[in-house]
Amino acid sequence: MTADRSSSGNRRYDPDRKERIIEATLEVIAVQGVSGTTHRRIAEAADVPLGSMTYHFASLDDLIEQAFLKLTQEIAHHFDDAFRKAQTVDEAREAVVEVICGWFAVTERKMTLILELYAYVARNPQTRHVMTGWMAKSRQALERHFSPDVAASLDAMIEGASIHNFMHPDGISREAARLIVAKLTA
Amino acid sequence: MTADRSSSGNRRYDPDRKERIIEATLEVIAVQGVSGTTHRRIAEAADVPLGSMTYHFASLDDLIEQAFLKLTQEIAHHFDDAFRKAQTVDEAREAVVEVICGWFAVTERKMTLILELYAYVARNPQTRHVMTGWMAKSRQALERHFSPDVAASLDAMIEGASIHNFMHPDGISREAARLIVAKLTA
DNA sequence: GATTTATGCGTACAAACGTACATAGTGCAA
DNA sequence: TTGCACTATGTACGTTTGTACGCATAAATC
């Protein structure tokens, strides 16, 4: 439907096709879940022929893994940014609150993708490195401002609170989050 | 392969077949994920004919939802038990530590199922009641011993810490958990 | 024992799947 | 312009999927 490809003499110069396929994969997973993610749906979403799938990626699982890797890298990058900006411990505390109450909760898409990732990793141990890599980066970002133990507890709390806020509309308020963070970092 | 059904005149008196199908569904989801869960695999796991699937359940999604409901009810029941047994606040605190470090971490199967559930609910909003019901029960159990706000924070921490412990072998130790719980319930 | 009713199941079917591969198209060297 | 090496694609194949449905069979009633 996005035209361009089906018209204009077909074959086009398309240097970042691979990248676009990966992004389309995340889009499909977000809407259909891993269980509904197929070569054909991704190809349609990325506006590329079906043959491109097996040409650029060894298998569907290979593609899904690369998509999830990209997802975690992007999130980790934003996460790191947020804590790099913080100058004081108090600003870092506020950043944690923001991550819990503002950032994740806003984008249902991102949370859905993360949950799909967790389930996927749980069932495909060979992809666990995607998770451990992500967690290591998050931990590192938090350890700019907090001790390793406190960083670990904050990381876990961010995880749990994000999920709960996603599942339950009136989960944890900004004030409540502020109090929790204060307790954990006291 | 489990015999019995294929021999002995076939049709058998089987009053809790429906229940067994639900349990088999959880088994299949735990191993194959929702994405690999099919009528045929469930039927084989439950040792019932394929026809039984559409006879007892309106659709595959209907069956999956019922299976997840059963899962959450069982977990909530155990959870409630643990906190009902606690007589003092300190015992309740220790119960939280146990939930984080002992209980979930032990059974990979259970954690996998929970993560599959999250992903499923995220993508099927009409099944969100399964989650909200579960969360309400957990909250209730915690509120036997803690204020609503503290209960909420403990619940979130349990969530996040369990997941992190599952993904990363050396996640949060028992001592670390004890300290965190102490901080949150101070 | 005969007849009826309700329950359960084997089987078939169209649709969708992952993947392989012959072939068509394209930029580049000469 | 021609030839070549390489990239990309359309298509076909064998499986597996969810679901529907006609028929077999057990239980109930007389």
Side-chain angles (χ1 to χ4, degrees):
Chain A
M1 290 298 180
T2 20
D4 268 357
R5 199 179 62 83
S6 36
S7 60
S8 86
N10 255 340
R11 179 79 58 101
R12 67 175 167 191
Y13 178 64
D14 193 3
D16 38 36
R17 161 165 301 190
K18 207 172 163 178
E19 197 61 22
R20 209 170 65 256
I21 292 176
I22 291 178
E23 274 159 23
T25 303
L26 287 177
E27 214 49 56
V28 173
I29 293 176
V31 176
Q32 312 270 3
V34 171
S35 82
T37 297
T38 68
H39 273 148
R40 285 168 176 81
R41 278 205 252 255
I42 296 168
E44 193 187 16
D47 191 31
V48 299
L50 177 59
S52 274
M53 297 292 113
T54 46
Y55 180 74
H56 287 289
F57 302 93
S59 71
L60 186 55
D61 272 316
D62 173 38
L63 172 53
I64 289 174
E65 181 175 334
Q66 289 194 42
F68 276 139
L69 184 60
K70 183 184 158 80
L71 173 75
T72 58
Q73 283 173 345
E74 279 179 6
I75 294 176
H77 182 72
H78 285 195
F79 195 87
D80 192 63
D81 256 16
F83 286 98
R84 203 183 285 271
K85 275 179 192 146
Q87 299 290 337
T88 68
V89 175
D90 266 327
E91 283 180 21
R93 286 197 181 99
E94 196 56 26
V96 174
V97 172
E98 190 57 30
V99 169
I100 293 176
C101 294
W103 192 42
F104 278 118
V106 167
T107 63
E108 177 160 324
R109 174 183 179 275
K110 201 178 294 180
M111 197 70 225
T112 303
L113 282 171
I114 290 173
L115 294 175
E116 288 285 340
L117 165 63
Y118 289 171
Y120 188 81
V121 170
R123 199 162 15 83
N124 298 80
Q126 78 279 7
T127 65
R128 192 155 296 200
H129 68 96
V130 175
M131 279 302 303
T132 51
W134 178 20
M135 285 171 69
K137 277 188 197 161
S138 303
R139 201 62 62 87
Q140 211 175 321
L142 285 165
E143 286 181 8
R144 283 179 201 285
H145 306 280
F146 308 102
S147 75
D149 280 352
V150 171
S153 70
L154 286 174
D155 205 13
M157 179 55 83
I158 289 171
E159 186 74 61
S162 298
I163 293 178
H164 277 214
N165 271 359
F166 173 73
M167 294 289 177
H168 210 310
D170 58 331
I172 289 171
S173 71
R174 212 169 276 261
E175 293 137 89
R178 217 165 266 133
L179 180 59
I180 291 170
V181 172
K183 282 179 180 172
L184 287 175
T185 62
Chain B
M1 291 297 182
T2 19
D4 269 356
R5 199 177 63 81
S6 37
S7 59
S8 84
N10 255 341
R11 177 82 55 100
R12 66 176 166 189
Y13 178 64
D14 193 3
D16 38 36
R17 162 165 300 191
K18 206 171 164 180
E19 196 62 21
R20 209 171 64 256
I21 291 176
I22 291 178
E23 274 160 22
T25 303
L26 287 177
E27 214 49 57
V28 173
I29 293 175
V31 176
Q32 311 270 2
V34 171
S35 81
T37 297
T38 68
H39 273 148
R40 284 169 177 80
R41 278 205 252 255
I42 297 168
E44 193 187 15
D47 190 32
V48 300
L50 177 59
S52 274
M53 295 292 113
T54 46
Y55 181 73
H56 287 289
F57 301 92
S59 72
L60 185 56
D61 272 316
D62 173 38
L63 172 53
I64 289 174
E65 181 175 333
Q66 288 193 44
F68 276 140
L69 184 60
K70 184 184 158 80
L71 173 74
T72 59
Q73 283 172 347
E74 279 180 7
I75 294 176
H77 182 73
H78 286 196
F79 196 86
D80 192 61
D81 255 16
F83 286 98
R84 204 184 284 271
K85 275 180 194 145
Q87 298 289 339
T88 67
V89 174
D90 267 327
E91 282 179 24
R93 287 197 181 99
E94 196 55 27
V96 174
V97 172
E98 189 57 29
V99 168
I100 292 176
C101 294
W103 192 41
F104 279 117
V106 167
T107 62
E108 177 160 324
R109 175 184 179 274
K110 202 178 294 180
M111 197 70 225
T112 303
L113 281 172
I114 290 172
L115 294 175
E116 289 285 340
L117 165 62
Y118 290 171
Y120 188 81
V121 170
R123 200 162 15 83
N124 299 81
Q126 77 279 7
T127 66
R128 193 156 294 200
H129 68 96
V130 176
M131 279 304 301
T132 51
W134 178 20
M135 285 170 68
K137 277 187 197 161
S138 303
R139 201 62 63 85
Q140 212 175 319
L142 285 165
E143 287 181 6
R144 284 179 200 285
H145 307 280
F146 307 103
S147 75
D149 280 353
V150 171
S153 70
L154 286 175
D155 205 13
M157 179 55 83
I158 290 171
E159 185 75 59
S162 298
I163 293 177
H164 277 215
N165 270 359
F166 174 72
M167 294 288 178
H168 210 310
D170 58 332
I172 289 171
S173 71
R174 212 169 276 260
E175 294 137 90
R178 217 165 267 135
L179 180 59
I180 291 169
V181 172
K183 282 180 181 172
L184 288 175
T185 62

